[in-house]
Amino acid sequence: SPSQKKAKSKSPGSVSSVLKTADDTNETVGPLEKCVLGPFDRLCSLAIVLNVAFIFIQLQYQGSLGGIQLGVEVEPWPDVSKAFTAIEIAFNAFFGIELALRMAALRRR
């Protein structure tokens, strides 16, 4: 129904609500802000999902190491600790950059 469409478009933090607010107050929305609230937001959501999957895999690995100590499992995963460290650093760097971009784009809000 039309009232549901209006309610969806007015959700706080959505791109359309931010742009409408900017129009109402005669503010200009910069390209960085449009990007951070649009495609970059979706990319960050994907990164969060991937990070959750990565944390699950790390926990599985730690469980297999515990299984080896208990004698339940016999073979550890091939040397993955360096890969885990590198991936963890990459996620941390990405989320740090995300924070800096969001602060820069939304500093007026």
Side-chain angles (χ1 to χ4, degrees), residues 12-103:
S14 70
V15 176
S16 60
S17 69
V18 170
L19 296 177
K20 178 144 180 54
T21 303
D23 289 342
D24 293 345
T25 59
N26 293 327
E27 291 181 26
T28 58
V29 177
L32 181 60
E33 190 172 353
K34 282 182 184 178
C35 181
V36 164
L37 294 173
F40 185 71
D41 204 38
R42 288 185 283 284
L43 176 66
C44 292
S45 298
L46 176 63
I48 290 169
V49 171
L50 291 175
N51 194 18
V52 168
F54 171 69
I55 290 170
F56 174 75
I57 292 168
Q58 274 187 308
L59 289 172
Q60 282 294 114
Y61 174 69
Q62 290 173 354
S64 77
L65 291 179
I68 291 169
Q69 289 177 347
L70 293 173
V72 179
E73 255 184 74
V74 291
E75 210 172 294
W77 295 4
D79 188 34
V80 295
S81 61
K82 288 181 183 178
F84 282 156
T85 301
I87 293 169
E88 199 171 321
I89 290 170
F91 274 119
N92 287 333
F94 178 81
F95 291 129
I97 292 168
E98 174 200 9
L99 177 63
L101 284 173
R102 286 187 189 277
M103 288 175 65

